[in-house]
Amino acid sequence: MTKILADDLENDQVSSLVEFMRAVSSGEFARRGKRIEVTDLTRKKVKFLLNKFIHTNHLSGYGVLDTAGAFEIVRIKPETKGTKKHEALKHLRPIWVPIHPPPTAVEPSLVIEWQGQPPRKEFPSKKK
């Protein structure tokens, strides 16, 4: 036996749910207020039929929850994020950071004078 809890639906919607389930399946249904007890149907079939009922009746604000012993038809509430004013998005320019600083001219006072003998212009030949 499977239970369906439809506390968020109105009474006429619960009645149409029972009629819909009787029309499309061969199970037995007992209605007690906004609770429906289903026998002779698998849980998978019951969940399928509940989702089909929600879809065909354009109840996009509702969903089916599979709890431990029953299916619940609940209203899906969008999260309220308060009344914040959204600032206009600013166009962000990419920041270009050079890897190395740009080359600069060397001041003459910073040039280190070479002291000693100049380097040889010839390279020694390889010995065989």
Side-chain angles (χ1 to χ4, degrees):
M1 178 171 70
T2 306
K3 294 180 183 179
I4 302 170
L5 303 174
D7 293 333
D8 288 351
L9 294 178
E10 297 176 11
N11 285 331
D12 58 335
Q13 290 175 331
V14 176
S15 299
S16 64
L17 172 63
V18 173
E19 291 174 18
F20 174 81
M21 299 281 279
R22 283 187 179 142
V24 296
S25 67
S26 60
E28 295 182 19
F29 303 93
R31 179 179 174 198
R32 292 180 174 82
K34 291 189 176 185
R35 188 178 73 200
I36 303 167
E37 294 178 358
V38 182
T39 55
D40 299 335
L41 288 179
T42 63
R43 292 182 57 81
K44 187 174 181 179
K45 181 73 173 180
V46 171
K47 186 173 182 178
F48 171 77
L49 292 174
L50 289 174
N51 283 319
K52 189 171 182 178
F53 172 78
I54 289 172
H55 179 73
T56 55
N57 289 307
H58 306 290
L59 300 172
S60 61
Y62 291 89
V64 177
L65 290 179
D66 186 1
T67 57
F71 290 106
E72 292 183 48
I73 299 177
V74 293
R75 182 182 302 265
I76 301 170
K77 297 179 183 176
E79 294 182 18
T80 57
K81 295 185 178 181
T83 56
K84 287 186 177 179
K85 292 183 180 179
H86 296 285
E87 296 179 13
L89 295 176
K90 297 177 183 176
H91 178 55
L92 299 175
R93 290 183 285 163
I95 300 173
W96 181 74
V97 179
I99 296 174
H100 302 289
T104 59
V106 179
E107 297 178 21
S109 64
L110 296 177
V111 175
I112 301 174
E113 291 187 26
W114 179 74
Q115 297 175 355
Q117 296 182 0
R120 295 187 327 187
K121 296 205 178 197
E122 298 176 10
F123 295 103
S125 63
K126 292 185 178 180
K127 294 182 182 179
K128 293 183 183 180

